[in-house]
Amino acid sequence: MEKNPPKLSTINVMIIEDDVTYRQSLQAAISAGENLACPYACESCEEALEILEKDFAPEVLLLDIKLPGISGIEGIPKFKAFSPSTHIIMLTVFDDDDLIFNALCRGAEGYLLKSATPRQIYESIQNVLCGGAAMTPTIAGKVLKMFTQYAEPKGEYDLTTREKEILQLLVDGHSKKHLADRLCISLYTVDTHLKNIYAKLHVHSQIDVIAKALKEHLL
Amino acid sequence: MEKNPPKLSTINVMIIEDDVTYRQSLQAAISAGENLACPYACESCEEALEILEKDFAPEVLLLDIKLPGISGIEGIPKFKAFSPSTHIIMLTVFDDDDLIFNALCRGAEGYLLKSATPRQIYESIQNVLCGGAAMTPTIAGKVLKMFTQYAEPKGEYDLTTREKEILQLLVDGHSKKHLADRLCISLYTVDTHLKNIYAKLHVHSQIDVIAKALKEHLL
DNA sequence: TTGTAAATACCGGGATCACGGTATTTTTGG
DNA sequence: CCAAAAATACCGTGATCCCGGTATTTACAA
């Protein structure tokens, strides 16, 4: 519950979940929600896509991952294609890093475990409607870990200002010659700088230097 | 409240906040918490660092960003250096993307706005103690947006399986010759594949190809 | 002031790359 | 089964790179 309260008209929530029991109890719980409706509860992405084709666009989609046929992960872009404004919340028993990663990268705005209470699911729906994201603290922690580990490995190699400058231009796709012109220095000088950079980074070619700079975020 | 409940012994929470009024009311609120204690509430990072030097290590640190002297962001690594196990939660009025980004990248496990209620702060503390992360849905949404936008630009260039394989080896730092050996094919063949890759990616050198592949996450 | 680091510049030779062709075999989809 | 796509292979030329040197000027710190 952030920012503006969600619009008061009825919010359509769609469910895709292959387990009959959980699906029905979930549908019942959603329907009981203050301003929520759940006209469709499907057991596969295929079934849901058929409904979306008949131009029905739910505000929120609760999506399982392990499904017969198209998986929930694979389904995300398909649903987004039909209905970009639909907010997708994953609802699954799996908390593997790469599932979380893939789901969120493909545009899911929430990731909940099935252990979540109806109350938590209800609040998550309100949150994504307000433009927020919905995840349990544990999931958020995992996201954060991926986040930091991606930005973290700032190797230090004591490059001089000039060397960093040259490295930057190199990474931006300039050849040594083109680069010498840009900096108004001799090609020989570029060569010398580059030799020093190679020595400091322990590499022996431009390829290696580019790869290392980009992989370790040296710029 | 995730996973195991936090240990029942008293949790030490440290506060760094320059506004006297907010600091005192926060300290009072924390101290009132079930199993929480707040022996130190500082008005600057410098003051807090002095205390940490006298080997006091709080389990949780509530940290403001705008501070006289060392900012909260700058302080994070310093605190982590003294006490790696301390969980840091940012508590600020600013929700700029780059502040969030920097704080979380430097190891903060939570990011709350000062509009948070004592109850929310209390729960956030419990969450980080259990290894989770603490953020409001709005902040989580922003994190997610940075996350996706970093992984998103998956340009599609119709590379064949073999071409991707060659591209991968190239990125891993293999020369064309070394690469031909690895794949047990002629150097000429590698050359041909590479020519096709260049055409598809619209580049004209290995450098460009490496840069493009890494920048656009083609692998 | 006296080193040391940084930035600049030059040379040559051997290795590697870019790219224009051409062409055969294998895989694959309709 | 047949056409298209993919993978394989070959060649030569000019461009570019890698690396071993050497050397001068500037800047800054001891």
Side-chain angles (χ1 to χ4, degrees):
Chain A
M1 269 191 266
E2 296 269 322
K3 284 181 183 168
N4 314 312
K7 56 186 173 194
L8 290 174
S9 59
T10 303
I11 304 297
N12 281 310
V13 179
M14 187 181 226
I15 294 171
I16 306 179
E17 163 62 53
D18 63 336
D19 182 85
V20 185
T21 314
Y22 186 69
R23 180 172 72 246
Q24 291 176 347
S25 70
L26 190 56
Q27 186 173 24
I30 297 294
S31 301
E34 187 63 51
N35 53 346
L36 303 184
C38 184
Y40 299 104
C42 313
E43 60 181 353
S44 73
C45 288
E46 288 84 343
E47 190 186 334
L49 285 167
E50 268 181 41
I51 295 169
L52 288 207
E53 275 172 12
K54 306 192 176 79
D55 60 26
F56 168 76
E59 273 81 27
V60 177
L61 177 57
L62 296 181
L63 185 51
D64 193 14
I65 289 185
K66 193 195 68 50
L67 288 169
I70 301 175
S71 80
I73 302 275
E74 293 161 348
I76 298 173
K78 299 183 194 290
F79 295 123
K80 286 277 178 189
F82 271 111
S83 167
S85 64
T86 293
H87 302 277
I88 299 180
I89 298 177
M90 309 310 291
L91 193 50
T92 173
V93 294
F94 306 104
D95 67 343
D96 307 67
D97 279 19
D98 63 325
L99 284 181
I100 299 172
F101 180 85
N102 277 312
L104 298 183
C105 277
R106 292 180 194 214
E109 280 124 330
Y111 199 108
L112 301 178
L113 298 180
K114 285 192 180 170
S115 55
T117 64
R119 173 96 208 134
Q120 286 172 323
I121 295 175
Y122 177 80
E123 281 178 358
S124 297
I125 291 173
Q126 306 302 325
N127 285 332
V128 297
L129 284 171
C130 298
M135 2 181 199
T136 65
T138 309
I139 302 291
K142 286 179 184 248
V143 170
L144 218 58
K145 222 166 61 189
M146 297 183 226
F147 200 70
T148 51
Q149 110 188 7
Y150 215 73
E152 185 184 317
K154 290 247 178 195
E156 248 343 298
Y157 296 96
D158 295 313
L159 295 183
T160 69
T161 310
R162 196 53 151 175
E163 285 163 357
K164 280 180 194 159
E165 193 178 0
I166 283 169
L167 186 49
Q168 178 66 65
L169 288 171
L170 218 50
V171 167
D172 288 344
H174 300 82
S175 70
K176 289 203 292 187
K177 180 173 286 185
H178 188 192
L179 196 151
D181 292 346
R182 173 71 66 97
L183 297 177
C184 297
I185 55 177
S186 158
L187 176 57
Y188 296 120
T189 305
V190 176
D191 222 6
T192 304
H193 283 307
L194 208 41
K195 275 188 280 192
N196 293 331
I197 294 175
Y198 286 177
K200 287 181 181 177
L201 300 202
H202 310 296
V203 297
H204 306 279
S205 71
Q206 285 191 29
I207 330 240
D208 292 338
V209 127
I210 305 287
K212 192 152 192 167
L214 288 175
K215 285 179 183 170
E216 304 190 12
H217 309 97
L218 299 183
L219 307 173
Chain B
M1 267 192 265
E2 297 267 321
K3 285 182 183 169
N4 314 311
K7 56 185 174 195
L8 290 174
S9 57
T10 303
I11 305 298
N12 281 310
V13 179
M14 188 182 226
I15 294 170
I16 306 178
E17 164 62 55
D18 63 335
D19 182 84
V20 185
T21 314
Y22 186 69
R23 181 172 71 246
Q24 290 177 346
S25 69
L26 190 56
Q27 185 174 24
I30 297 295
S31 302
E34 186 62 51
N35 53 346
L36 303 183
C38 184
Y40 298 103
C42 313
E43 60 180 353
S44 73
C45 289
E46 288 84 342
E47 191 185 334
L49 285 167
E50 267 182 43
I51 295 169
L52 289 205
E53 275 172 10
K54 306 193 175 79
D55 58 28
F56 168 75
E59 273 80 26
V60 177
L61 178 55
L62 297 181
L63 185 49
D64 192 14
I65 290 186
K66 193 195 68 50
L67 288 169
I70 302 175
S71 80
I73 302 275
E74 293 162 348
I76 298 173
K78 298 182 193 291
F79 294 124
K80 286 277 178 189
F82 272 111
S83 166
S85 64
T86 293
H87 302 277
I88 299 180
I89 298 176
M90 309 309 290
L91 193 50
T92 174
V93 294
F94 306 104
D95 66 345
D96 307 68
D97 279 19
D98 63 325
L99 283 181
I100 299 173
F101 179 85
N102 277 311
L104 298 184
C105 277
R106 293 181 193 209
E109 281 124 328
Y111 199 107
L112 302 178
L113 299 181
K114 285 191 180 170
S115 56
T117 64
R119 172 98 209 134
Q120 286 172 324
I121 294 176
Y122 177 80
E123 279 176 0
S124 296
I125 291 172
Q126 306 302 324
N127 285 332
V128 297
L129 284 171
C130 298
M135 2 182 198
T136 64
T138 308
I139 302 290
K142 285 177 184 248
V143 169
L144 217 58
K145 222 167 61 188
M146 297 183 226
F147 199 69
T148 50
Q149 110 186 9
Y150 214 74
E152 187 184 313
K154 288 245 178 194
E156 247 344 296
Y157 297 96
D158 296 312
L159 294 183
T160 69
T161 311
R162 196 52 152 176
E163 285 163 356
K164 280 181 195 159
E165 193 178 0
I166 282 169
L167 186 49
Q168 177 67 65
L169 287 171
L170 218 51
V171 168
D172 288 345
H174 300 84
S175 71
K176 289 203 292 188
K177 180 174 286 183
H178 188 192
L179 197 151
D181 292 346
R182 173 71 66 99
L183 297 177
C184 297
I185 54 177
S186 158
L187 176 58
Y188 296 119
T189 306
V190 175
D191 222 5
T192 304
H193 283 307
L194 207 43
K195 274 188 281 192
N196 293 330
I197 294 175
Y198 286 179
K200 288 181 182 178
L201 300 203
H202 309 295
V203 297
H204 305 279
S205 71
Q206 285 191 29
I207 331 243
D208 292 338
V209 124
I210 305 286
K212 192 153 193 168
L214 288 175
K215 285 178 183 169
E216 303 191 13
H217 309 98
L218 299 183
L219 309 173

